[in-house]
Structure formats: C-alpha cells, structure tokens
Amino acid sequence: MLVVHHLEQSRSQRVLWLLEELDLKYTVKRYSRLASFQGPPELYKIHPLGKSPVIEDDGLVLAESGAIFQYLIKKHNKLGSESPEFLYWLHFAEGSLTMQLIAHNYVKMTKHPQMTAFMDKRVNEMLEFVDAHLQKHTFFVENRFTAADVMMSLPIEMAIARKFKVGPATMRWMRHMVQRPQYKKALAEGGDYFFSRVKL
C-alpha cells in the first residue's frame, strides 16, 4: 500500500488531498515538528535530506511535491491534462509563488526597506496575475478540477494567512476548494493544519 510520510504543518497536506481526490488507499505516517519548527530526525531515515512530503509506492521512495504529483497523476491517469497550461500552473505554484512568499518572509526579517518593498511588489504582481486568470476561469485549467488546483492551494493559503491582498476571484476559488469533501477528509487524515484555521 502507498505510504505518505507526512510532516504536520507542511506541503505534504496537499499530497493527502490529492490522494483523496484520486480515491486511492494509503497509509499516513505522521511526524511532529521540533520546537525549532524543523522536521524530526526520523525523516532522515526515509530520505537523505529529511524532507516531507515523501511517498513510498511499490518500492519507490519519492520526494518533492511536484514530482509526487506528476508521478501519481501519470500512474493513475486522473486529474491531469495534456495541456501545457496544466504543467505551467502545476509548477508555478512551487517554482514561482510559494518560493516568492518564502523569500519575502526572509527579506522582511532583514528589515531592509528597499528589498522589502521590492518583494511586496513581486508577490502582489503574482497574486494579481492569479486573480486575473481566475476571473475568467472557474478552475486553473480547462475549467475543470485538476491536480493544478490542489497544488495551487498552498501558496494561496499562505498569502491569505500573511494578509496579502488576495483578489476576489481567488478568494471565491479558495472557498470552493475548502468545501470539497476530499479536502476535508485529507485534513482529518493529516491532523493539525494551520492554514485550515485561516478565515476566508
């Protein structure tokens, strides 16, 4: 059976949601964060970098959210698309928006006004770009629910939690996502998830 090594309060929550949407059987091995907010040493026994999410499937050990998503989508032939737009949004989530949000957080800690202003501008540009897309589309790709919607959930949740200006179309989309039964079931499987408590 497929095993998900799930670190609480992490990207691996999306993997649980994807598995629920794919209607697959799986086992969750939960790991609690240390007081430093780092993952525990036990994760290094699963992957040399101590990363999460990590899945084990038929002898395969695979890390990285994007890789896990593409592997599961291809294997089960569901929730994907041949459209280049699908690949774009699947990887924009981590490669652009999430990374920009994380970088913004570190720059803000430096209290460097010019750099902080620059990072504010970059994040807001990306959020406006996302909202402009969702003003014209119910979902991110082909006006149907795909794994790209699951992948995009985390950076949007992060942006909302950190009080960025998230546009109305994006907020409508996010409210729709959190009402999906599979999203709710994944929360029950994964345990405490800070972003699920953020008011939408």
Side-chain angles (χ1 to χ4, degrees):
M1 181 180 288
L2 192 151
V3 177
V4 182
H5 295 277
H6 170 69
L7 178 64
E8 65 181 17
Q9 311 287 10
S10 79
R11 290 168 165 86
S12 62
Q13 185 62 44
R14 286 180 302 189
V15 174
L16 301 182
W17 181 16
L18 178 65
L19 290 169
E20 291 296 337
E21 295 285 356
L22 291 170
D23 196 24
L24 298 178
K25 292 183 179 180
Y26 62 94
T27 296
V28 180
K29 290 191 176 181
R30 292 190 193 178
Y31 300 83
S32 297
R33 289 186 180 274
L34 305 176
S36 63
F37 207 66
Q38 293 177 307
E42 290 82 0
L43 278 171
Y44 283 92
K45 297 176 183 177
I46 311 302
H47 188 278
L49 295 178
K51 293 176 69 69
S52 176
V54 176
I55 64 167
E56 292 185 79
D57 188 35
D58 295 330
L60 172 71
V61 177
L62 186 62
E64 292 295 340
S65 298
I68 291 169
F69 270 53
Q70 285 194 255
Y71 167 76
L72 292 171
I73 292 162
K74 183 176 181 180
K75 180 175 180 178
H76 300 284
N77 196 29
K78 289 174 66 178
L79 297 182
S81 170
E82 294 299 317
S83 166
E85 186 180 40
F86 172 74
L87 283 177
Y88 175 78
W89 288 112
L90 192 71
H91 293 287
F92 172 87
E94 281 291 307
S96 291
L97 186 50
T98 300
M99 288 300 99
Q100 201 73 47
L101 285 162
I102 291 171
H104 179 279
N105 201 41
Y106 286 122
V107 167
K108 191 174 179 180
M109 287 190 288
T110 69
K111 298 182 179 179
H112 190 291
Q114 287 85 5
M115 283 300 297
T116 300
F118 171 75
M119 295 301 289
D120 282 342
K121 181 175 181 291
R122 289 297 293 147
V123 172
N124 286 324
E125 283 176 347
M126 289 189 182
L127 292 172
E128 289 169 7
F129 171 67
V130 169
D131 199 66
H133 180 75
L134 289 173
Q135 287 173 22
K136 300 174 184 177
H137 303 88
T138 305
F139 300 101
F140 275 94
V141 181
E142 297 174 351
N143 276 324
R144 65 181 178 90
F145 180 83
T146 69
D149 294 287
V150 181
M151 187 65 86
M152 281 295 297
S153 65
L154 176 71
I156 298 304
E157 288 172 324
M158 288 174 67
I160 294 168
R162 290 172 55 188
K163 309 297 183 185
F164 281 100
K165 185 179 179 181
V166 177
T170 308
M171 291 298 291
R172 283 195 299 272
W173 170 85
M174 194 70 239
R175 292 187 191 105
H176 184 195
M177 293 300 102
V178 301
Q179 291 304 313
R180 292 182 69 86
Q182 296 89 345
Y183 180 95
K184 294 178 180 180
K185 189 172 180 186
L187 288 177
E189 292 289 341
D192 189 42
Y193 183 57
F194 169 76
F195 295 127
S196 69
R197 302 194 297 273
V198 173
K199 186 176 180 181
L200 297 178

